[in-house]
Amino acid sequence: MTDANDTDYANDSEPDETVADRLRRHVSENRGGMLYDLAFAVVWVTTVSLLYDFLFSNSPRWVLYMFMLAGIPAYFGFFISLEMARKQG
């Protein structure tokens, strides 16, 4: 019987590597992408919060949740279009 618990990421790490070491390596490898993701999230949540507080102040609470939920397709749409623009130019 094969080991069902063997995964690819388990084979990538050193045997003596701690969780903190793996986390540090992951962050150093993906620093740029994580920074872009954080920046997008901060800008999106700030924009939606300001819109809901000032422009849609009389709207029900679910409107805020729908705006926040719209951030998911907006995120993927933005970064997919950015990647397409990089390939063209």
Side-chain angles (χ1 to χ4, degrees), residues 1-70:
M1 179 171 219
T2 62
D3 284 329
N5 293 334
D6 282 345
T7 56
D8 291 336
Y9 66 86
N11 296 330
D12 289 343
S13 62
E14 303 278 332
D16 300 343
E17 194 173 36
T18 64
V19 174
D21 292 335
R22 287 191 298 179
L23 181 63
R24 193 174 300 114
R25 188 182 76 223
H26 178 74
V27 169
S28 68
E29 290 173 356
N30 300 300
R31 184 170 302 172
M34 293 171 75
L35 184 63
Y36 298 146
D37 294 347
L38 178 64
F40 184 88
V42 168
V43 168
W44 185 264
V45 170
T46 302
T47 304
V48 167
S49 296
L50 290 173
L51 281 173
Y52 182 75
D53 289 344
F54 297 110
L55 193 60
F56 299 108
S57 59
N58 295 328
S59 300
R61 191 79 171 160
W62 63 266
V63 172
L64 172 67
Y65 299 141
M66 289 295 123
F67 275 135
M68 290 293 181
L69 193 60

Side-chain angles (χ1 to χ4, degrees), residues 71-83:
I72 297 169
Y75 170 83
F76 286 107
F78 176 74
F79 283 106
I80 288 171
S81 66
L82 186 63
E83 186 65 31

